[in-house]
């Protein structure tokens, strides 16, 4: 696994993963972890964040924090489902009598997605979506109303007023930074309503991305591929995860290097971005109650990627992404029972200049689902 991760360095400089802590809450439950990078992808250690509460004396029963469940787990019938378990009860400590200092990610539950915002990096730690033909307004059984559908031209980038002022990403941070305001949850995934689309333009859903050659092109092709999966699968879960991966210097040591934009420096620039997908459909017409589950992870460098680059060249083990990001996305049972997505459908992007299509509506065209 480590050798495959290191092979990606041939395409772009690796940078190390800074510490991050995540929580299980609402529908999505994500394990807490201290730091870590892909260079240490074969090992990581978990801990649980203590929360303030009644002061109690430490005891043997409270000396070890429970491991939190994964985001997606196996249901009683072997189907994939979102965990319904909320934040696990954590340790209390007399030292934290007056509150826990953090780090504290902000859980953001929106109309079309759920996310955890990293206050230190000032961009999402992760975002999660559940895509279906219906959610994308493409279902013949539940057609969307044009009056209710979101219109991108009516949305504007906005600072997230729900976050503490001192930890917000600001519009000024991106001004003349040389980077695009890259959506983690794309606006095209949130056409169910104008409010849903507007929420994708909050800066809490944005991370700095290279523009031409990445955000406006290859990354957009990958987002389109995720949407097209709904033509072949009943349910598609998509996780988008900014990463900071390590590079090896001439002296043989691995180091962390990444840019921070803003004045003063405020928003960190990820070196890579991961798309992790889980797709589900009936295994056969005769057994619609038995699901066929497919999973896959793709790690793309935050740099110009040629249009002809095969999507499969960015495949990584889901476990490697989990360890690099400090997340526990899928249960072991689900991983062991699922197929790789590239064995269930074509892992091929359709090269379509989305930025040109926005400028020239007449060149827009429909794209079929992967087969």
């Amino acid at each position: 696994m480590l050798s495959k991760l290191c092979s990606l360095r041939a395409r772009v400089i690796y940078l190390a993963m800074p510490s991050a802590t995540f929580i299980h809450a609402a529908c999505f439950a994500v394990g807490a972890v201290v730091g870590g990078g892909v260079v240490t992808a074969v090992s990581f250690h978990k801990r649980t964040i203590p929360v303030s509460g009644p002061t109690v004396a430490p005891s043997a029963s409270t000396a070890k924090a429970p491991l939190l469940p994964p985001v997606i787990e196996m249901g009683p019938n072997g189907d994939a489902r979102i965990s319904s378990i909320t934040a696990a009860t954590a340790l209390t400590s007399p030292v934290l009598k007056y509150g826990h200092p953090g780090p504290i990610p902000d859980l953001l539950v929106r109309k079309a997605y759920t996310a955890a915002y990293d206050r230190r990096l000032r961009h999402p730690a992760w975002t999660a979506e559940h895509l279906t033909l219906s959610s994308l307004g493409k279902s013949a059984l539940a057609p969307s109303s044009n009056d209710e559908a979101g219109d991108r031209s009516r949305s504007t980038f906005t600072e997230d007023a729900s976050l503490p002022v001192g930890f917000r990403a600001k519009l000024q941070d991106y001004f003349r930074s040389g980077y695009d305001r890259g959506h983690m949850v794309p606006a095209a995934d949130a056409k169910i309503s104008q409010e849903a689309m507007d929420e994708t333009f909050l800066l809490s859903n944005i991370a700095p991305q290279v523009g031409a050659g990445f955000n406006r092109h290859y990354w957009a092709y990958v987002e389109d591929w995720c949407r097209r999966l709904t033509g072949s699968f009943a349910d598609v879960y998509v996780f988008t995860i900014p990463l900071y991966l390590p590079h090896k210097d001439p002296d043989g040591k691995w180091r962390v290097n990444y840019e921070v934009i803003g004045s003063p420096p405020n928003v960190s620039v990820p070196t890579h971005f991961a798309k992790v997908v889980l797709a589900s459909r009936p295994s056969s017409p005769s057994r619609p109650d038995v699901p066929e589950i497919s999973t896959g992870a793709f790690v793309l460098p935050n740099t110009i990627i040629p249009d002809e680059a095969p999507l499969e060249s960015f495949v990584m083990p889901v476990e490697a992404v989990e360890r690099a990001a400090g997340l526990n996305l899928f249960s072991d049972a689900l991983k062991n029972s699922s197929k790789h997505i590239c064995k269930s459908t074509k892992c091929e992007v359709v090269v379509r200049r989305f930025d040109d299509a926005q400028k020239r509506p007449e060149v827009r065209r429909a794209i079929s689902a992967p087969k």
Side-chain angles (χ1 to χ4, degrees), residues 9 14 16 39 246-257:
R9 187 186 180 282
Y14 268 74
V39 65
H247 77 198
K248 191 173 184 179
D249 283 337
D251 62 3
K253 296 181 178 180
W254 298 82
R255 290 187 172 88
V256 179
N257 293 291

Side-chain angles (χ1 to χ4, degrees), residues 107-145:
L107 186 77
L108 308 174
V109 180
R110 309 298 193 192
K111 298 291 184 182
Y113 65 94
T114 297
Y117 178 79
D118 191 312
R119 294 183 176 188
R120 184 167 61 92
L121 303 175
R122 290 174 175 80
H123 62 59
W126 54 267
T127 63
E129 312 169 66
H130 177 199
L131 302 180
T132 64
L133 285 175
S134 179
S135 74
L136 296 174
K138 297 181 179 180
S139 173
L141 299 177
S144 61
S145 168

Side-chain angles (χ1 to χ4, degrees), residues 77 281-292:
N77 298 321
R281 63 188 174 192
S283 57
S284 68
S286 60
R287 294 296 307 274
D289 57 321
V290 178
E292 173 190 296

Side-chain angles (χ1 to χ4, degrees), residues 50-335:
V51 295
S52 56
T55 302
V56 297
S59 66
S61 62
T62 61
K64 185 177 180 181
L67 291 179
L68 300 181
V71 172
I72 297 183
E73 58 190 5
M74 295 293 289
N77 298 321
D79 55 318
R81 67 178 184 181
I82 297 295
S83 172
S84 61
I85 301 176
T86 57
T89 302
L91 294 177
T92 57
S93 167
V95 177
L96 301 177
K97 176 180 179 179
Y98 296 103
H100 191 285
I104 301 173
D106 297 275
L107 186 77
L108 308 174
V109 180
R110 309 298 193 192
K111 298 291 184 182
Y113 65 94
T114 297
Y117 178 79
D118 191 312
R119 294 183 176 188
R120 184 167 61 92
L121 303 175
R122 290 174 175 80
H123 62 59
W126 54 267
T127 63
E129 312 169 66
H130 177 199
L131 302 180
T132 64
L133 285 175
S134 179
S135 74
L136 296 174
K138 297 181 179 180
S139 173
L141 299 177
S144 61
S145 168
N146 290 332
D147 295 334
E148 299 176 357
D151 181 353
R152 186 187 181 105
S153 66
R154 294 166 57 191
S155 299
T156 58
F157 288 102
T158 308
E159 295 174 14
D160 192 337
S162 71
L163 300 174
V165 174
F167 300 123
R168 292 179 197 168
K170 298 176 173 60
L171 293 170
Q172 182 66 26
D173 293 329
Y174 287 86
F175 182 65
R176 293 182 177 176
S177 68
Y179 292 94
D180 279 8
R181 293 168 291 195
H183 287 70
M184 298 298 92
V185 174
D189 291 3
K191 293 182 178 180
I192 53 175
S193 69
Q194 190 60 47
E195 181 182 2
M197 181 163 288
D198 289 346
E199 287 177 340
T200 68
F201 281 82
L202 292 170
L203 292 189
S204 55
N205 179 50
I206 302 299
Q209 291 186 322
V210 170
F214 187 67
N215 177 52
R216 305 172 208 170
H217 300 115
Y218 204 93
W219 183 251
Y221 310 155
V222 176
E223 293 173 333
D224 172 65
W225 176 79
C226 291
R227 286 190 292 274
R228 289 189 292 115
L229 289 175
T230 60
S232 302
F233 296 89
D235 297 278
V236 179
Y237 297 93
V238 182
F239 296 88
T240 304
I241 306 166
L243 294 173
Y244 293 78
L245 304 185
H247 77 198
K248 191 173 184 179
D249 283 337
D251 62 3
K253 296 181 178 180
W254 298 82
R255 290 187 172 88
V256 179
N257 293 291
Y258 58 92
E259 189 173 351
V260 183
I261 61 173
S263 182
N266 199 43
V267 180
S268 300
V269 181
T271 64
H272 294 71
F273 291 91
K275 284 284 188 187
V276 182
V277 299
L278 182 148
S280 175
R281 63 188 174 192
S283 57
S284 68
S286 60
R287 294 296 307 274
D289 57 321
V290 178
E292 173 190 296
I293 298 173
S294 303
T295 60
F298 305 85
V299 176
L300 286 72
N302 189 11
T303 189
I304 296 172
I305 299 177
D307 284 352
E308 59 272 18
L311 179 58
E312 289 196 51
S313 67
F314 301 107
V315 168
M316 287 290 165
V318 171
E319 294 85 353
V321 175
E322 289 180 322
R323 290 166 183 167
L327 305 178
N328 188 18
L329 297 173
F330 308 139
S331 69
D332 289 339
L334 192 147
K335 291 174 189 173

